[in-house]
Amino acid sequence: MTSEAAASPSVTSEATASPSVLEARESVGSVRLADELKFGQSYDFKRDSEIDRTVFEQRGNVTVLEYRPNVAPAEERAQDLYDHLDGSFSWASLKVRICHDGGEVDAGDDDFVSISAWPWALELSDDSIVSPFEGEPVGFPKPLYPTDDEELYAGACRTGHIVFAVPDGQRVTRVLYIRQSSLPVAWADQ
């Protein structure tokens, strides 16, 4: 569930070619970011096309509303569901909101974006990355953010919790939204 990131983080706001999701997940500590925000601040997708003119302009925004450590389901159910995870860990919940105000589409075309939990990740104090939990989490804060692709139509918003298994002894340093063909966005509590 984790992958190693570069040991020496370096963040700059220069606009360059966007990394792939895989490259970003492998070395997000050294990759440029579209923006670094505080929890509660929204990232406006219009910024993507300002950074890279080849990126399709979307109208809308995404926000990290809160991060909750040590969110655990009922003890007896936890062992049954999560035996496949290695080592000891604690559960964390990330509450996010995304709004899609529309895009550049021809009249008559459906105007929607696909959303899921998979662009979201937690960067830890050892520079590793934790991806969302893949299973059907039971007993966690509701509503859950979709883990499978879900269509979000123009004018709609979706708010939900994403569940993560954070290895014991690690601290979450920031939340990352790693999108294909766009620079990642980061949020921190401070």
Side-chain angles (χ1 to χ4, degrees):
M1 298 283 294
T2 63
S3 63
E4 293 298 316
S8 57
S10 162
V11 177
T12 176
S13 61
E14 293 176 19
T16 62
S18 302
S20 72
V21 173
L22 181 59
E23 288 168 337
R25 284 197 187 279
E26 290 177 351
S27 64
V28 80
S30 63
V31 76
R32 290 178 183 89
L33 298 172
D35 210 344
E36 193 154 11
L37 305 163
K38 293 181 180 179
F39 289 176
Q41 292 181 314
S42 294
Y43 178 78
D44 188 338
F45 290 120
K46 187 172 186 172
R47 177 123 167 79
D48 291 339
S49 60
E50 293 169 358
I51 293 169
D52 182 350
R53 301 271 182 220
T54 66
V55 173
F56 172 73
E57 183 178 319
Q58 292 182 16
R59 292 185 306 274
N61 60 73
V62 63
T63 310
V64 172
L65 300 172
E66 71 177 347
Y67 168 76
R68 284 199 246 172
N70 302 315
V71 178
E75 192 64 38
E76 66 278 358
R77 185 76 175 125
Q79 278 309 113
D80 294 342
L81 287 175
Y82 315 119
D83 278 345
H84 68 283
L85 294 174
D86 294 330
S88 58
F89 55 88
S90 63
W91 294 105
S93 170
L94 182 65
K95 186 176 182 182
V96 300
R97 177 178 176 87
I98 187 167
C99 294
H100 175 52
D101 296 336
E104 297 174 355
V105 297
D106 295 331
D109 286 349
D110 287 334
D111 188 0
F112 67 87
V113 293
S114 290
I115 63 168
S116 78
W118 302 114
W120 294 97
L122 301 179
E123 185 177 42
L124 304 179
S125 51
D126 69 353
D127 292 330
S128 63
I129 302 295
V130 175
S131 296
F133 181 67
E134 293 182 45
E136 290 293 325
V138 175
F140 289 98
K142 303 284 191 230
L144 291 173
Y145 197 79
T147 52
D148 293 326
D149 285 344
E150 181 178 291
E151 294 173 350
L152 184 66
Y153 285 87
C157 294
R158 181 74 145 88
T159 300
H161 293 267
I162 302 169
V163 176
F164 296 86
V166 178
D168 285 347
Q170 293 296 320
R171 180 178 51 82
V172 174
T173 57
R174 60 186 177 175
V175 173
L176 300 167
Y177 187 61
I178 304 170
R179 300 140 324 132
Q180 190 169 3
S181 302
S182 295
L183 292 172
V185 181
W187 285 264
D189 195 18
Q190 46 230 351

